[in-house]
Amino acid sequence: EDAAAMAEVLNWSQTWLINLAEVDDDVDDELAGTPEDDGGDMSGYANFIAEGRKLLAVQKIVIHREAGEKSAVEATFREIKAALAREEEDYGFYIALPLFVGNMNDFVTRNIKEPMEWLSLRKDIDIKAFNMLDDASPFNLVRVVKGPSAIPSDDTKPEDMLSLFN
């Protein structure tokens, strides 16, 4: 049952990212006229690239099958604690909350983001809520990525790029 739920989350993530690319492409077209007119400018794809890198960092999907807000907070912080204990950057996870009823954006802001800011733990952690209704996700989701690394700049040397794969 959890394997099927994880597959749904992964399939939805890919579809969400593809749709994001289409939105970014539309924005880029509006700003530049047409794709051919932009002179190779990829600025309209910055959000797509950043979100794609975060998706690639996801290494774990937790299916939390309890409905309560308190248990959802506890499960999320248990995973955040484990992520903070890891040494590598670019580690992320989803918490899927199939039984959670409520506004995910409010829930995540009030119960995850704000407490982490109060504890000064938010600096290198990206936290995002996905709603079943707004984002068409299969479940209400929380995505946490520890240390999303910076996108290499145009002046990055090829030998520096190899460090991304170590």
Side-chain angles (χ1 to χ4, degrees):
E1 188 176 340
D2 282 355
M6 288 182 215
E8 279 187 73
V9 171
L10 287 174
N11 287 334
W12 169 81
S13 297
Q14 181 180 9
T15 302
W16 178 80
L17 189 61
I18 290 168
N19 291 336
L20 185 63
E22 291 171 1
V23 168
D24 277 357
D25 188 34
D26 292 343
V27 170
D28 195 39
D29 290 351
E30 289 173 18
L31 294 174
T34 66
E36 294 79 25
D37 293 343
D38 68 6
D41 179 22
M42 298 294 284
S43 61
Y45 294 99
N47 193 36
F48 168 77
I49 293 169
E51 290 297 330
R53 291 170 59 84
K54 291 172 189 173
L55 179 58
L56 289 172
V58 171
Q59 296 179 31
K60 185 175 186 179
I61 299 172
V62 177
I63 310 298
H64 185 71
R65 297 200 179 273
E66 294 181 33
E69 195 169 285
K70 181 181 179 198
S71 68
V73 170
E74 289 171 351
T76 304
F77 272 105
R78 188 171 35 254
E79 293 301 323
I80 289 171
K81 180 181 177 184
L84 290 172
R86 299 174 72 107
E87 290 190 22
E88 77 261 22
E89 286 188 355
D90 296 328
Y91 171 80
F93 61 89
Y94 278 116
I95 298 274
L97 304 167
L99 302 177
F100 182 85
V101 178
N103 183 314
M104 281 302 291
N105 290 322
D106 290 344
F107 167 77
V108 167
T109 298
R110 186 178 65 252
N111 295 297
I112 309 298
K113 289 181 178 181
E114 288 177 355
M116 290 196 63
E117 285 174 11
W118 299 331
L119 297 170
S120 300
L121 295 174
R122 183 85 202 284
K123 187 179 92 169
D124 294 327
I125 296 183
D126 179 77
I127 304 167
K128 184 166 178 61
F130 296 97
N131 290 292
M132 289 172 46
L133 296 176
D134 297 339
D135 300 306
S137 60
F139 312 106
N140 286 318
L141 298 168
V142 179
R143 184 192 65 205
V144 178
V145 178
K146 175 190 168 206
S149 60
I151 297 172
S153 64
D154 287 341
D155 57 350
T156 302
K157 298 177 182 125
E159 57 271 13
D160 294 338
M161 293 295 287
L162 293 175
S163 69
L164 296 173
F165 300 102
N166 293 337

